[in-house]
């Protein structure tokens, strides 16, 4: 089976793709508003996977930002964008995957939303990390991937939304809606030696 | 990492083990009340994994059966037994996995129970199939495994509980508590040709 895996360049989506890779043909799919330059294609090449960009409209970004400002927190707005990214991918792939995890808050589809997504688009939606806790994922990622961590190293759609919110509504609004700056991760390589599928 | 995967001999637990196998050393763990003979060790050998039996006390079976009869349906009683099986496995393995799926009703730990299990036992609990729907799992299993389906082919703890309920409380009680006989699966081989990890 060929699976389109939503890929941000970060540790979780890269690990999701790796876990599927012995059993499926993987294509990494990066959804972007085209607001910032994006190095996902380079990272995908480093990981050894084919890569596709999907563009999302700036109107969706503004709607999602409005939702975030109204809510005072980003979760619902992020989910709107993530669902759109999944639906775009579902137009090109019969199997669609992402890196959402058991301990994620957002973006994360509920069980009902996941089933509805599958039924509506007639695709299979796979979340390889949904049955993994944070500690297991961090351990596996460290074993299989070269990763750097930092505050401003990623260029996924969340960073684009933050950037767009800043330029439209100012720094104070961003700080109110995204209270804590959390450490981002970026995958810079694959530890082939620890990858049994590659050794076998 | 070495992972103890709860193994019933059926399709789901076998697939869970296969999905983990490129990334971990797998040991299959079968929990049994010792009421019926069990061919899990043979099936594990066919799959190429080391196998360990864990015995559970008949008192637990009786308690779980009492719960089922009181409830009029098996879910809570099955969960009691499954949690005990997981906890027994957690005494021998730092990583414990099972084949529970997104669309399962029971046995299935809630998010809160899964986290509590990890914290209490200081282990990592992995559910490789939790992010997979029924259709995806059936497709993957058909691609990777030789499977037979039937009504009386499995000898996992659920079948033992049913058997014990029948001998203690009679056929009518079993039919009331387990209303529908569902098709069991048993893994009889591995389709190596479709397993990319083996080909690589």
């Amino acid at each position: 089976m060929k699976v389109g895996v939503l890929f941000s360049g970060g540790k979780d989506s890269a690990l999701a793709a790796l876990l599927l890779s012995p059993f499926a043909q993987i294509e990494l799919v990066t959804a972007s508003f085209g607001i910032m330059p994006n190095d996902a294609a380079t990272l995908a090449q480093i990981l050894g996977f084919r890569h596709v960009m999907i563009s999302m409209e700036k109107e969706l970004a503004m709607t999602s930002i409005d939702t975030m400002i109204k809510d005072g927190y980003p979760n619902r707005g992020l989910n709107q964008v993530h669902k759109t990214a999944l639906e775009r991918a579902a137009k090109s792939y019969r199997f669609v995957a992402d890196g959402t995890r058991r301990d994620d808050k957002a973006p994360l589809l509920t069980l009902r939303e996941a089933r509805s997504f599958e039924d509506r688009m007639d695709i299979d939606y796979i979340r390889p990390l949904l049955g993994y806790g944070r500690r297991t994922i961090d351990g596996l990622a460290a074993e299989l991937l070269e990763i750097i961590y930092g505050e401003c190293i990623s260029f996924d759609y969340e960073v684009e939304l933050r950037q767009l919110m800043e330029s439209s509504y100012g720094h104070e609004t961003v700080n109110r809606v995204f209270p804590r700056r959390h450490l981002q991760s970026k995958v810079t390589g694959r530890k082939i030696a620890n990858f049994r599928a590659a050794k076998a």
Side-chain angles (χ1 to χ4, degrees), chain A:
Chain A
M1 63 189 193
K2 186 165 85 171
V3 184
V5 184
L6 284 193
F7 177 64
S8 68
K11 144 179 83 66
D12 294 343
S13 52
L15 185 61
L18 273 195
L19 291 187
L20 282 174
S21 64
F23 310 98
Q25 181 188 342
I26 302 298
E27 292 192 9
L28 300 183
V29 179
T30 302
S32 164
F33 294 109
I35 291 164
M36 297 163 79
N38 190 302
D39 58 356
T42 309
L43 304 178
Q45 196 176 20
I46 291 171
L47 291 174
F49 296 122
R50 198 165 167 259
H51 183 259
V52 175
M53 289 291 304
I54 289 182
S55 63
M56 298 185 291
E57 297 75 27
K58 213 176 148 183
E59 291 73 44
L60 170 65
M62 293 316 292
T63 309
S64 143
I65 286 172
D66 287 348
T67 303
M68 292 181 191
I69 292 175
K70 209 175 87 182
D71 291 350
Y73 61 91
N75 292 7
R76 205 160 57 99
L78 287 177
N79 272 329
Q80 289 170 350
V81 174
H82 192 67
K83 282 178 204 168
T84 302
L86 284 170
E87 286 175 8
R88 295 288 155 84
K91 287 184 179 165
S92 305
Y93 299 92
R94 167 75 179 70
F95 296 86
V96 176
D98 66 22
T100 52
R101 315 175 304 165
R102 188 190 75 184
D103 299 331
D104 275 339
K105 290 250 188 322
L108 184 68
L109 271 64
T110 63
L111 177 57
R112 181 194 294 259
E113 287 170 338
R115 285 179 178 152
S116 158
F117 173 46
E118 288 191 325
D119 292 345
R120 247 181 314 118
M121 311 287 291
D122 193 23
I123 53 92
D124 287 24
Y125 176 40
I126 305 176
R127 294 182 282 186
L129 303 187
L130 199 68
Y132 291 71
R134 183 183 305 268
R135 181 166 74 176
T136 323
I137 287 172
D138 287 349
L140 260 178
E143 210 176 295
L144 300 171
L145 295 165
E146 305 282 355
I147 307 162
I148 54 169
Y149 293 89
E151 285 208 344
C152 303
I153 55 170
S154 167
F155 305 95
D156 60 5
Y157 64 66
E158 180 171 342
V159 176
E160 288 188 299
L161 289 168
R162 209 187 281 235
Q163 177 59 39
L164 196 59
M165 191 187 288
E166 177 138 355
S167 59
S168 306
Y169 298 96
H171 196 61
E172 287 309 306
T173 305
V174 174
N175 275 349
R176 185 168 54 78
V177 172
F178 294 91
R180 291 172 306 153
R181 261 222 169 285
H182 67 279
L183 227 50
Q184 299 165 343
S185 66
K186 181 184 281 200
V187 169
T188 60
R190 192 161 156 170
K191 296 181 181 166
I192 294 288
N194 288 328
F195 189 50
R196 280 163 182 255
K199 280 195 296 183

